[in-house]
Amino acid sequence: MCGIIGYTGSSQALPVLVQGIRLLSYRGYDSAGVAIWQDGSLRIRKDKGRIEDLAPRWSPDELAGTTGIGHTRWATHGVPNQVNAHPQHDDGETVAVVHNGIIENDLALREALEADGVPLVSDTDTEVFAHLFARAFDGDPVAAARHLLEACHGAFALAIQHAAMPDTIIAVRRGSPLLVGVGVRENLVASDLRPLVGRADAVIDLGEDQIAIVTPDDVRLFDADGAEITAERRPIDHSERDIGKDGYPHFMLKEIHEQPDRIYELVASRIDPKHQRVRLEDVGITDEQWRAFDRVDLIGCGTAFHACLYGAYVLEGLAGIPSRALMAHEYDARKPHLDERVLAIAVSQSGETMDTKIAIQSAVDGGAHTLGVLNVRESVIGRTVNGVLDIHAGPEVAVASTKVYTQMLCGLLLLALRGAQARGTGDGLLAEIAPALKRLPDDVRTVLGRFDRVREAARDVRRAGDMLFLGRGFDAGTALEGALKMKEISYIHAEGYPAGEMKHGPIALVSREVPTVAIATSGPTRERMIGNVREVRARDGEIILVATDGDGDAEKLADFVLWVPEVHPLVAPVVNVVPLQLLSYETARLRGCDVDQPRNLAKTVTVQ
Ligand code: M6R
């Protein structure tokens, strides 16, 4: 979704802003722009399009200043065009604003401004901020920023410039994340860490309703009452700096290949082999609380929701707590019964997804114990919940989630084992699972080493218009995730189903032109999966089978077999999704699609 970058220092701002916009572009955007202070006025350049096309049109001579703000916009209020792109400004162009989030009362504010004779030229809610700030500013930027916090409802992160303040950026945060990057005689403002890496040594996470006044040598922080507060700085750690492609042609492929190392680190840090215990003390759920829970709600969207499906199986199956996976945007509508015996888990890579944030907030309000299974601890959701299980996947840049999904599965399995430990339902369980978890990185590596076989299958499916993905039990979610990966990056229409649903409708779609990917690895659901595969075969459907090494039936039943090693059924979804990730990657690449930044999608969906 939208991205913010701001710079004030002694270097030229334009190259820093353009590079920042490039680094933010993984979030998805349809327009971009910059504002730079020069000779007493703000120079604003912005338009619809990609930064590669826009930046060459922005003349460094006309934008020669050392303080500026930049933005990537993903359209919500108004179509992507020049007028609606950010920075937005007031009628005199004394104020420029870039904004992530939404003003909920923008219609009322627009009407009030128009009634006062203020001309509004864009369709955006952001323009309201520029006019309100310009009218409230009397030389004191904190007072004008406080006026915005008072007048505007919703979630927003803002970077603001005023023509009367040559080297100053005003940052305001409510609901949406905003960081100040602290460098040497230069400071930055950004909506996430990526554009700060390499320039800033430390960051300040703006808290709720805080205002920062950022100049090259100073960062002053104020609360909503205008009182100055201490700005806590934290260093940028090593893993946060890691944002290159490491020689891979795409971030997605790099991130798929990172999975063994990430899984190893997560599992090794959380299992105490000597005492046969899962160590999740920092998550903050006591044995007593575990024993008192009578329901678990797992809440997420997209890939995170698919991880929730698996999480519900393992929490119910291992810890014996009735558990359900729920799409975050449907949560409130159910009017769920909530109290302290409900464990509500928000599963999210970014920790910023608005639907998930709203759902977990209602669980907080209802008195549930809340937990985030997150890749970004210092996120909006991370600050909302009682505890966080950090899945430590490292930065994920590709819009299509891969390594984060397998980390979510591992994190949820560890959580279920911890629950089982506390509730006494896990006797001997860890002894059984620990060796499988230990071997898991190598098993995933084995699958990655079989990319050539996947490439053959991709050459075949690249011309398909539609595809089906089938799985059962723990792998029902794998099927949904395989279909989501395929559709989001290759634009092939793909549907994923628990295979038992086939007879109830989807089997009508089976034909030679609709390849079916079936996950039928060894374990309790294999026989029934093979039954489904035979039904597809009987209707002349093409089959791509994910099967366990040594399965004697696989070659006879399938057009392509994607072999995976024999693993414990509880960890099988982690292994089985990998060939599906590779298949969607390779299919999208062969079809010439923009693998890392698929059309219409944003990495982080910060609107409802
Ligand atoms: O940041 P989150 O994990 O909360 O994001 C949820 C979904 O938007 C995300 O998983 C989306 O479905 C991905 N593009 C899938 O690859």
Side-chain angles (χ1 to χ4, degrees):
M1 206 119 290
C2 307
I4 289 174
I5 174 72
Y7 173 82
T8 179
S10 51
S11 302
Q12 285 296 302
L14 182 62
V16 182
L17 299 180
V18 167
Q19 175 65 358
I21 288 171
R22 282 201 185 98
L23 291 168
L24 289 166
S25 61
Y26 78 97
R27 296 168 74 96
Y29 71 111
D30 40 45
S31 49
V34 294
I36 290 176
W37 188 95
Q38 190 184 348
D39 301 333
S41 65
L42 299 174
R43 309 278 174 99
I44 298 172
R45 302 287 184 279
K46 55 180 186 161
D47 212 338
K48 179 181 169 181
R50 315 289 298 174
I51 190 65
E52 299 75 37
D53 303 319
L54 298 176
R57 308 205 309 249
W58 297 341
S59 154
D61 295 334
E62 293 169 12
L63 294 162
T66 56
T67 300
I69 54 179
H71 192 258
T72 53
R73 173 174 188 255
W74 191 80
T76 53
H77 289 56
V79 296
N81 62 20
Q82 197 274 336
V83 176
N84 290 335
H86 299 201
Q88 289 292 313
H89 53 80
D90 64 317
D91 35 340
E93 295 200 14
T94 55
V95 172
V97 180
V98 292
H99 165 214
N100 285 4
I102 280 187
I103 312 182
E104 283 164 4
N105 57 333
D106 78 305
L107 286 180
L109 294 169
R110 284 178 83 93
E111 277 169 21
L113 284 165
E114 279 168 346
D116 267 5
V118 176
L120 287 145
V121 295
S122 78
D123 303 318
T124 67
D125 50 350
T126 307
E127 188 185 350
V128 167
F129 286 119
H131 294 292
L132 291 178
F133 192 91
R135 291 160 72 83
F137 184 80
D138 62 0
D140 177 357
V142 176
R146 288 178 60 210
H147 175 65
L148 299 186
L149 288 170
E150 277 158 24
C152 305
H153 307 159
F156 42 84
L158 306 172
I160 305 169
Q161 271 188 291
H162 196 289
M165 303 192 76
D167 59 1
T168 305
I169 299 171
I170 301 117
V172 185
R173 174 189 185 274
R174 171 177 289 165
S176 297
L178 196 59
L179 307 172
V180 176
V182 183
V184 180
R185 311 211 63 179
E186 59 181 16
N187 290 314
L188 299 100
V189 173
S191 47
D192 72 41
L193 204 64
R194 256 166 224 108
L196 304 182
V197 171
R199 274 209 105 96
D201 302 315
V203 288
I204 299 165
D205 293 286
L206 258 66
E208 196 60 6
D209 281 7
Q210 287 182 355
I211 300 158
I213 305 298
V214 184
T215 56
D217 294 309
D218 201 12
V219 181
R220 297 181 67 196
L221 206 58
F222 300 84
D223 68 15
D225 297 325
E228 186 154 2
I229 49 178
T230 310
E232 302 287 345
R233 299 173 181 204
R234 66 174 173 91
I236 299 177
D237 78 25
H238 183 69
S239 67
E240 292 176 305
R241 290 172 185 272
D242 176 20
I243 56 164
K245 283 190 202 155
D246 288 353
Y248 287 95
H250 298 97
F251 280 108
M252 182 180 178
L253 193 60
K254 175 195 170 213
E255 288 158 5
I256 290 172
H257 281 83
E258 280 174 4
Q259 291 176 110
D261 289 347
R262 295 289 91 82
I263 292 168
Y264 169 78
E265 284 161 18
L266 180 65
V267 169
S269 65
R270 294 300 188 170
I271 290 193
D272 171 0
K274 189 166 165 213
H275 302 99
Q276 287 291 311
R277 292 192 73 74
V278 176
R279 307 185 50 205
L280 291 179
E281 294 84 354
D282 54 316
V283 165
I285 305 177
T286 63
D287 284 4
E288 264 173 23
Q289 280 174 308
W290 272 114
R291 284 193 284 271
F293 291 140
D294 60 12
R295 195 179 86 223
V296 181
D297 287 353
L298 293 117
I299 304 162
C301 300
T303 288
F305 170 70
H306 300 153
C308 292
L309 292 169
Y310 171 82
Y313 272 95
V314 289
L315 275 152
E316 185 152 337
L318 306 185
I321 317 172
S323 303
R324 55 188 191 169
L326 300 154
M327 289 182 179
H329 33 87
E330 292 293 315
Y331 194 64
D332 276 355
R334 303 176 69 101
K335 307 225 175 305
H337 171 81
L338 292 161
D339 61 31
E340 70 286 353
R341 284 167 304 164
V342 175
L343 171 61
I345 306 178
V347 181
S348 173
Q349 186 285 127
S350 59
E352 279 184 50
T353 301
M354 185 54 77
D355 289 318
T356 311
K357 152 86 174 87
I358 289 172
I360 203 69
Q361 184 64 55
S362 62
V364 170
D365 297 343
H369 187 88
T370 54
L371 175 69
V373 173
L374 306 174
N375 197 34
V376 185
R377 178 185 282 277
E378 295 296 328
S379 56
V380 177
I381 293 175
R383 292 160 194 236
T384 305
V385 287
N386 297 119
V388 172
L389 169 51
D390 190 335
I391 57 171
H392 278 297
E396 189 178 68
V397 176
V399 165
S401 244
T402 52
K403 63 173 178 170
V404 158
Y405 177 66
T406 45
Q407 290 297 98
M408 285 171 173
L409 299 187
C410 292
L412 289 165
L413 177 56
L414 289 166
L415 193 70
L417 289 167
R418 165 74 184 100
Q421 207 170 272
R423 292 166 67 92
T425 56
D427 276 357
L429 197 58
L430 192 59
E432 181 191 327
I433 305 295
L437 280 168
K438 194 165 175 221
R439 265 202 355 249
L440 192 53
D442 282 338
D443 291 327
V444 171
R445 253 179 224 113
T446 301
V447 180
L448 293 172
R450 297 175 179 177
F451 193 12
D452 281 349
R453 186 76 188 134
V454 178
R455 284 194 179 101
E456 269 180 61
R459 279 196 286 277
D460 182 68
V461 300
R462 64 183 290 200
R463 290 193 184 81
D466 307 273
M467 290 181 75
L468 288 169
F469 286 73
L470 306 177
R472 279 178 183 262
F474 294 140
D475 276 318
T478 316
L480 271 63
E481 176 59 9
L484 177 64
K485 284 294 86 86
M486 185 59 80
K487 79 180 95 172
E488 71 180 329
I489 60 167
S490 77
Y491 316 141
I492 293 175
H493 170 233
E495 297 297 337
Y497 288 101
E501 274 299 289
M502 277 299 272
K503 290 191 192 67
H504 304 286
I507 201 165
L509 297 173
V510 168
S511 76
R512 201 65 204 154
E513 287 72 48
V514 181
T516 295
V517 177
I519 305 146
T521 51
S522 67
T525 58
R526 180 190 172 275
E527 291 313 313
R528 276 179 294 150
M529 273 306 303
I530 293 296
N532 290 114
V533 168
R534 288 188 199 285
E535 286 158 11
V536 173
R537 186 111 198 126
R539 287 155 183 85
D540 199 28
E542 181 181 339
I543 310 262
I544 296 159
L545 197 67
V546 180
T548 305
D549 289 344
D551 184 328
D553 299 324
E555 299 275 16
K556 288 177 236 153
L557 286 168
D559 297 87
F560 289 93
V561 182
L562 305 178
W563 295 106
V564 295
E566 173 97 48
V567 297
H568 192 290
L570 273 173
V571 299
V574 177
V575 172
N576 294 347
V577 78
V578 177
L580 308 189
Q581 295 170 340
L582 291 169
L583 183 65
S584 62
Y585 168 81
E586 185 61 9
T587 306
R589 197 189 65 78
L590 290 173
R591 287 164 65 96
C593 301
D594 187 344
V595 171
D596 284 336
Q597 287 173 40
R599 69 186 181 205
N600 303 339
L601 287 175
K603 178 71 181 161
T604 307
V605 183
T606 50
V607 290
Q608 269 188 293

